[in-house]
């Protein structure tokens, strides 16, 4: 069974600082990996999807890397803003298209 | 495009009653829909996968008689929590996939269920 771990569980940084969020997974036989944002009491917003054959994916201030062999992915958020405050979820998509989620990293960006 | 809605967004009910949650794909037909639950500070856990016109496939440990799933049309799936108890209080989220693109799920906004 795929286990997904996200470290740290919570992070508080001053505005402008870069954010580094970590995700690890136990089974390297994955189809894709996806990063989501979740605001309190809300659903999920997809941020980046990395296919298993890719090493990284970028969108604006966001960059996600994937090292399948070591079972790791990292989400980088450059020049953080208060609006980036949310919980970030990592999800591993297996070959049967099922998603296994981590518990998330809750980010607070202080103005 | 690919918008998924849920109704209601929030529901409070008494212990022992049944609650129905709807999941709709608004601008596409979804042959496959998924139901997740999320406890505070915990990850989303897949409860079941539903395919239009057939019985849902439940994950291990999920009681199928407790959580009834119906996917009667290509745009609507329902989750009924039967005889709800306080331990069923949770955040329920559905997702849907486009036909032929089951590797991508579009998520609804979630339903907060509180059982008193």
């Amino acid at each position: 069974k795929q286990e997904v771990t996200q470290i740290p569980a919570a992070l508080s940084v001053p505005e402008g600082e870069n954010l580094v969020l970590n995700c690890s997974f136990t089974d390297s036989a994955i189809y894709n990996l996806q990063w989501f944002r979740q605001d309190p009491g809300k659903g999920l917003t997809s941020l980046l999807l990395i296919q298993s054959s890719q090493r990284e994916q970028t969108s604006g201030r966001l960059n996600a890397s994937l090292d399948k062999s070591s079972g790791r992915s990292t989400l980088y958020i450059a020049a953080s803003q208060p609006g980036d405050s949310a919980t970030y979820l990592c999800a591993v998509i297996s070959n049967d298209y099922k998603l296994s989620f981590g518990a998330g990293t809750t980010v607070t960006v202080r103005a | 495009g690919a918008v998924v809605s849920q109704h209601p967004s929030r529901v409070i009910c008494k212990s022992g009653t049944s609650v129905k949650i709807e999941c709709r794909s608004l601008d596409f037909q979804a042959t496959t829909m998924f139901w997740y639950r999320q406890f505070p500070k915990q990850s989303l856990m897949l409860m079941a996968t539903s395919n239009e016109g057939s019985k849902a496939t439940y994950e291990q440990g999920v009681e199928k008689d407790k959580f009834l799933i119906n996917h009667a049309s290509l745009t609507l799936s329902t989750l009924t929590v039967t005889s709800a108890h306080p331990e069923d209080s949770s955040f329920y989220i559905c997702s849907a996939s486009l036909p032929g693109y089951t590797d991508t799920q579009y998520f609804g906004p979630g339903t907060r269920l509180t059982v008193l």
Side-chain angles (χ1 to χ4, degrees), chain B residues 75-93:
Chain B
T75 59
L76 173 65
S77 176
T78 59
L79 167 67
T80 301
V81 183
T82 62
S83 187
H85 291 283
E87 58 266 29
D88 299 323
S89 298
S90 188
F91 194 57
Y92 292 87
I93 303 179

Side-chain angles (χ1 to χ4, degrees), chain B residues 5-86:
Chain B
S5 71
Q6 281 184 244
H7 179 80
S9 58
R10 187 179 294 267
V11 58
I12 301 172
C13 69
K14 292 182 179 179
S15 186
T17 61
S18 294
V19 174
K20 181 185 284 188
I21 302 170
E22 293 185 347
C23 176
R24 291 183 186 273
S25 55
L26 298 184
D27 51 1
F28 66 100
Q29 294 183 330
T31 50
T32 305
M33 289 184 169
F34 304 85
W35 286 97
Y36 297 83
R37 67 187 298 181
Q38 184 181 32
F39 291 108
K41 307 288 186 192
Q42 295 187 29
S43 57
L44 276 76
M45 298 298 295
L46 178 65
M47 299 174 66
T49 303
S50 80
N51 292 294
E52 186 267 338
S54 62
K55 290 185 178 180
T57 302
Y58 290 80
E59 295 299 301
Q60 193 172 10
V62 177
E63 302 173 58
K64 55 184 71 174
D65 294 333
K66 172 86 174 161
F67 299 99
L68 300 178
I69 291 172
N70 184 279
H71 192 162
S73 79
L74 286 171
T75 59
L76 173 65
S77 176
T78 59
L79 167 67
T80 301
V81 183
T82 62
S83 187
H85 291 283

Side-chain angles (χ1 to χ4, degrees), chain A residues 1 31-32 34 36 38 41-44 49 89 93 97-99 101-103 106, chain B residues 36 38 41-46 49 59 91 93 102-103 105 107-110 112:
Chain A
K1 183 189 170 193
Y31 187 79
N32 290 334
Q34 196 163 3
F36 293 88
Q38 185 177 31
K42 304 293 184 183
L44 307 181
L49 183 145
L89 299 172
I93 304 164
Y97 308 130
K98 289 185 179 179
L99 271 69
F101 284 86
T106 299
Chain B
Y36 297 83
Q38 184 181 32
K41 307 288 186 192
Q42 295 187 29
S43 57
L44 276 76
M45 298 298 295
L46 178 65
T49 303
E59 295 299 301
F91 194 57
I93 303 179
T102 47
D103 60 334
Q105 296 180 28
F107 285 82
R112 170 72 60 194

Side-chain angles (χ1 to χ4, degrees), chain A residues 25-105:
Chain A
F25 47 95
T26 54
D27 185 352
S28 62
I30 67 171
Y31 187 79
N32 290 334
L33 185 141
Q34 196 163 3
W35 283 92
F36 293 88
R37 170 184 172 137
Q38 185 177 31
D39 292 290
K42 304 293 184 183
L44 307 181
T45 300
S46 179
L47 298 174
L48 290 168
L49 183 145
I50 312 175
Q51 296 180 354
S52 62
S53 58
Q54 296 178 316
R55 298 283 294 183
E56 68 176 339
Q57 195 64 253
T58 298
S59 176
R61 294 185 293 113
L62 275 59
N63 174 275
S65 66
L66 173 64
D67 184 343
K68 209 172 69 162
S69 61
S70 67
R72 295 179 189 277
S73 177
T74 302
L75 177 67
Y76 301 91
I77 304 177
S80 61
Q81 304 168 359
D84 294 329
S85 298
T87 296
Y88 292 83
L89 299 172
C90 166
V92 172
I93 304 164
S94 60
N95 289 323
D96 60 359
Y97 308 130
K98 289 185 179 179
L99 271 69
S100 299
F101 284 86
T105 295

